[in-house]
Amino acid sequence: MNSLENIVSLCKRRGFIFPGSDVYGGMAGTWDYGPLGIMLKKKIMDAWWGYFVEQRDNMYGVDAAIIMNPKTWVASGHTATFADPLVECKECKSRFRADKIADGISESVTTEQFLATHTKCPVCGKENWGPIRKFNMMFKTHVGAVDDDSSIAYLRPETAQGIFTNYKNVIDTIYPNLPFGIAQQGKAFRNEISPRDFILRDRECTQMEIEYFVHPDTWQENFEKLLSENHHFLEKIMGLSKDKLHDYEVPADDRAHYSKRTVDFMFDYPNGQEELMGLAYRTDFDLANIERESGKSMEYRDKVTGETFIPHVIEPSIGVERLFLAILSNSYIEEEIDGNKRIVLKLPENLAPHKFCVSPLLKNKPELVAKAKEVYDQLRIKYTYVTWDDSGNIGKRYRKQDEIGTPKCIVVDFDTLEDNTVTVRDRDTTKQIRVDIADL
Ligand code: GAP
């Protein structure tokens, strides 16, 4: 069964993802990527960067600092409004996000509305609640040697503001024409009240965001264009099933404070439907606020018409962890082939950590090992993503390579020494064919 527990267990067993600070008993809401996990994560991030930045003439990248001037978060509205409704059980002192434990209420729920839901404490089962308090999710820190209010700074809760604060620098150095986009990938930090569902809701996540600057009159067509390009990326490049992806037109009451239109891309995760990414029309909210807070003009001057205005912004924003989990749950399959049960990750070939696995049929036969090494070295010249496996018996190796999603296993046996052919086994069908080494 494709349950979240099975995916978590595979991730730990095969070295994709470990609990953060595992050796000390963990750290809630944090996860570490192991040798295979980082390979998959990097491929996801590189594919996104390739498709949205490198293959386009009007996209530019930045890599901004994580700790930014605190004025950033005043201008963006995060200091005032980036808060979740926190409720405490008076009996057992457990704390929860009110909108996550009661049905049919939103993030802006009041104490009265929450109490009217007759929700019981998920920990002790009692119904004795304190008032709803707004809990700001930004992680605070102090910069420099002075530990008082004057030195407070925050770890960025979104990568977007590192883009907006560099908009002027990009305009003044690259002189782009509208529409153009600025992209960033990097860590974002949120002190989530209840991190949950493995890597779905973390306290430290990796965002991939684009701020796409457009003429205000053209926001709708650009919104539709980005909507379909993001579907293309998720379905054709990340290989997600079309029928597991759902567009959700977010109603005005539930939209972030800066948005005039938002479409959330929902994905059918093992524990239910959750937001995978968001596409938001942010108007000129951010640039106008930065102009006010910094006193510097954020206006753009059209080179042909001379028209001067603050561009409007469409923002596609996706968390790498949510995409990682979507890809894993989309490709995790338990099946029976010829009476044998197996777990297989049917990852798209462009994402699989290893493209090929080379092994000698028997590892105690030096002539087989030497020939297999030759094949391995030959493939390594062409492809980076080749792995070597001579552990256990051949059945165990296939089982391991299936679980980590290696599309092709190449086995050198005694026939190879005679006729220079090898067995190539296909991950998805388990069918084996003989191939001449020169044709690999
Ligand atoms: N700049 C807009 C922004 O940050 P968001 O909806 O708060 O909007 C965008 O976040 C995306 O970042 C989400 O769709 C999700 O993929 C990812 N994300 C946000 N919070 C997350 C968390 N706590 N854990 C994992 N991913 C998260």
Side-chain angles (χ1 to χ4, degrees):
M1 215 182 56
N2 176 354
S3 72
L4 193 59
E5 289 72 34
N6 292 345
I7 292 173
V8 176
S9 150
L10 173 86
C11 282
K12 179 142 197 200
R13 190 167 72 244
R14 294 301 184 191
F16 281 94
I17 299 176
F18 309 117
S21 317
D22 202 10
V23 75
Y24 293 114
M27 174 87 188
T30 69
W31 299 91
D32 294 345
Y33 286 73
L36 290 176
I38 185 62
M39 290 174 91
L40 176 51
K41 187 175 177 186
K42 272 175 76 59
K43 286 187 174 196
I44 293 171
M45 293 175 72
D46 288 350
W48 184 92
W49 195 261
Y51 179 69
F52 285 110
V53 184
E54 284 169 359
Q55 290 170 25
R56 290 161 201 251
D57 294 330
N58 66 345
M59 285 283 191
Y60 308 94
V62 291
D63 184 19
I66 284 173
I67 298 177
M68 303 176 68
N69 188 313
K71 283 184 185 170
T72 309
W73 311 112
V74 175
S76 69
H78 283 78
T79 310
T81 62
F82 193 58
D84 275 345
L86 176 76
V87 67
E88 185 175 299
C89 169
K90 285 198 205 159
E91 300 287 334
C92 70
K93 308 291 175 217
S94 300
R95 291 175 168 186
F96 305 94
R97 240 182 92 165
D99 58 326
K100 293 291 168 196
I101 55 168
D103 289 333
I105 56 171
S106 73
E107 284 171 20
S108 47
V109 61
T110 61
T111 302
E112 293 68 36
Q113 286 165 341
F114 177 73
L115 294 179
T117 60
H118 300 299
T119 301
K120 300 216 177 334
C121 171
V123 173
C124 70
K126 306 254 172 56
E127 195 188 323
N128 185 9
W129 298 105
I132 301 261
R133 285 189 293 126
K134 283 287 180 190
F135 173 77
N136 194 297
M137 291 200 291
M138 285 196 291
F139 276 105
K140 254 188 212 162
T141 186
H142 289 274
V143 173
V146 183
D147 193 353
D148 64 19
D149 282 0
S150 69
S151 65
I152 288 178
Y154 302 93
L155 305 188
R156 67 180 178 204
E158 61 170 14
T159 56
Q161 295 305 322
I163 296 178
F164 286 120
T165 48
N166 276 295
Y167 153 85
K168 189 92 178 84
N169 289 334
V170 172
I171 293 267
D172 291 347
T173 50
I174 310 277
Y175 311 109
N177 290 323
L178 286 185
F180 72 92
I182 307 180
Q184 175 163 226
Q185 300 183 326
K187 292 268 178 160
F189 302 82
R190 298 179 179 194
N191 197 359
E192 297 281 353
I193 297 169
S194 357
R196 62 181 171 85
D197 290 340
F198 191 29
I199 52 173
L200 193 88
R201 189 171 296 284
D202 309 313
R203 292 197 164 123
E204 181 179 328
C205 70
T206 315
Q207 286 187 319
M208 305 192 284
E209 302 198 289
I210 295 168
E211 306 307 327
Y212 199 64
F213 300 92
V214 304
H215 189 285
D217 293 346
T218 65
W219 79 264
Q220 268 149 324
E221 66 208 60
N222 283 299
F223 193 98
E224 295 305 327
K225 186 167 162 282
L226 284 165
L227 189 71
S228 82
E229 286 173 354
N230 276 278
H231 269 286
H232 178 89
F233 174 74
L234 294 174
E235 290 161 27
K236 303 288 183 231
I237 304 179
M238 297 293 101
L240 298 184
S241 308
K242 198 174 160 58
D243 58 3
K244 288 189 180 155
L245 270 172
H246 314 276
D247 287 0
Y248 172 62
E249 191 74 49
V250 181
D253 281 356
D254 291 342
R255 284 200 292 262
H257 57 280
Y258 48 72
S259 173
K260 279 259 170 68
R261 182 184 175 197
T262 298
V263 171
D264 281 345
F265 290 52
M266 308 299 286
F267 185 78
D268 296 328
Y269 287 98
N271 280 6
Q273 211 176 83
E274 292 280 355
E275 176 189 325
L276 163 62
M277 67 163 282
L279 180 68
Y281 169 42
R282 291 179 82 125
T283 67
D284 62 353
F285 176 87
D286 301 273
L287 292 184
N289 286 344
I290 291 174
E291 183 169 283
R292 210 185 45 243
E293 195 69 31
S294 69
K296 303 209 171 83
S297 168
M298 293 294 129
E299 280 185 337
Y300 171 89
R301 188 168 181 280
D302 190 295
K303 287 168 209 152
V304 179
T305 64
E307 189 190 357
T308 307
F309 54 92
I310 294 183
H312 280 210
V313 170
I314 322 280
E315 176 197 66
S317 170
I318 186 161
V320 178
E321 292 76 12
R322 291 201 187 171
L323 183 50
F324 193 109
L325 187 58
I327 291 165
L328 282 188
S329 64
N330 194 65
S331 51
Y332 180 101
I333 288 163
E334 286 181 15
E335 62 185 11
E336 210 175 297
I337 293 198
D338 302 332
N340 297 316
K341 281 198 177 141
R342 69 161 184 164
I343 294 173
V344 55
L345 271 191
K346 294 190 176 175
L347 291 170
E349 270 196 38
N350 57 322
L351 296 181
H354 304 299
K355 248 183 198 317
F356 305 105
C357 171
V358 179
S359 57
L361 181 65
L362 301 166
K363 80 171 193 188
N364 56 359
K365 297 284 173 200
E367 63 275 34
L368 292 186
V369 174
K371 189 71 186 169
K373 273 274 177 227
E374 228 178 79
V375 175
Y376 174 78
D377 290 341
Q378 179 189 322
L379 282 172
R380 288 279 287 188
I381 295 172
K382 239 173 142 180
Y383 305 100
T384 323
Y385 303 111
V386 186
T387 185
W388 170 267
D389 191 358
D390 60 9
S391 60
N393 60 36
I394 196 73
K396 274 202 178 133
R397 286 181 222 159
Y398 284 157
R399 225 171 62 207
K400 173 177 169 194
Q401 297 304 323
D402 282 349
E403 286 198 10
I404 65 176
T406 310
K408 299 274 188 284
C409 285
I410 297 166
V411 180
V412 167
D413 56 21
F414 291 104
D415 288 345
T416 314
L417 304 178
E418 303 294 318
D419 63 6
N420 253 356
T421 63
V422 288
T423 299
V424 178
R425 175 189 179 268
D426 182 79
R427 175 195 68 194
D428 296 350
T429 61
T430 74
K431 295 277 178 291
Q432 303 185 9
I433 52 167
R434 289 302 284 191
V435 176
D436 200 292
I437 291 176
D439 299 332
L440 274 175

